[in-house]
Amino acid sequence: MNFLEERIVKDGIVKEGNVLKVDSFLNHQMDVELFREMGEEFKRRFAGKEINKILTIEASGIGIACVVALVFNVPVVFAKKSKSINVDGDMYVADVESFTHKCKNQVIVSKKYLGKDDHVLIIDDFLANGCALQGLISIVNQAGGTVEGIGIAIEKGFQVGGQVIRNLGYQLESLAIVDSMDASTGEIVFRKQ
Ligand code: G4P
């Protein structure tokens, strides 16, 4: 087990409905030392890629992305979720559907902060169905930039997102891939990497 898998086993809580609660260290209280370790692992996995910007999505991607950005020494931009239909022309816009929350959001990024010269590492906390990632990829494409890679803390390997994104040809690196979990025993099975 790697450092993140160990932490998930120690402090994660498996809930009914295939939900993994990691509030105590990842997306409510945040262990920034763990985030630094994640940043260093991403740096190793994306070695050789000329990354000059980190892109994430609010809310819980932001903390991780900021620490990862410190390790890469590049700026970080987060896509904002917007319910407004009055988005002006200064913004890139993508639709993101949340299966978990059963709602549709638009995500927006100002054209000032992403452009054709950007080589982007996309960072997020969870990958489930991949809708958020597809929205972020669309925004980089609209900007004419390049997606150099995608770094995820926890991928739910039994949902389709990881396969969809890998099939599109992107280098997707998930630090922990959960293949199954059992709320009655608390057991979590990770994919061997
Ligand atoms: P997708 O983005 O991969 O398509 O996933 P989905 O719509 O299914 O997920 C919606 C939200 O639920 C995402 O956060 C995602 O991070 C979160 N999520 C999915 N599965 C789990 C889980 O097992 N545990 C936890 N803790 N979160 C999970 P969001 O609501 O869009 O953003 P945020 O504001 O919480 O960051």
Side-chain angles (χ1 to χ4, degrees), residues 26-119:
L26 202 81
N27 53 18
H28 194 16
Q29 176 168 257
M30 297 185 285
D31 181 341
V32 293
E33 199 48 59
L34 179 79
F35 291 4
R36 191 207 305 273
E37 218 175 324
M38 288 164 50
E40 280 158 8
E41 180 61 20
F42 286 134
K43 186 98 177 137
R44 199 179 63 74
R45 294 194 189 196
F46 293 105
K49 299 260 177 159
E50 293 294 325
I51 290 158
N52 71 338
K53 200 160 281 186
I54 306 278
L55 177 66
T56 188
I57 181 166
E58 68 175 349
S60 31
I62 295 175
I64 298 170
C66 285
V67 179
V68 173
L70 267 178
V71 174
F72 280 77
N73 196 24
V74 298
V76 53
V77 176
F78 68 93
K80 298 187 176 197
K81 291 174 182 165
S82 157
K83 291 227 177 336
S84 163
I85 46 166
N86 291 319
V87 176
D88 64 31
D90 297 336
M91 300 281 184
Y92 305 113
V93 186
D95 285 326
V96 171
E97 203 163 339
S98 170
F99 287 93
T100 307
H101 300 305
K102 309 265 179 287
C103 66
K104 211 171 181 176
N105 274 310
Q106 286 189 318
V107 295
I108 56 176
V109 170
S110 167
K111 289 183 178 172
K112 277 189 281 196
Y113 306 125
L114 207 56
K116 63 177 175 35
D117 296 328
D118 282 323
H119 292 259

Side-chain angles (χ1 to χ4, degrees), residues 5 10 17 55 57 59 63 68 74 85 113 118-119 140 144 151 153 158 164-166 192-193:
E5 293 165 336
K10 182 169 162 276
L55 177 66
I57 181 166
V68 173
V74 298
I85 46 166
Y113 306 125
D118 282 323
H119 292 259
V140 177
F158 50 87
V164 169
I165 301 290
R166 289 189 181 92
K192 294 254 180 311
Q193 301 201 56

Side-chain angles (χ1 to χ4, degrees), residues 132-149:
L133 278 189
Q134 298 222 43
L136 295 178
I137 291 168
S138 161
I139 280 177
V140 177
N141 288 339
Q142 290 172 47
T146 308
V147 176
E148 293 290 350

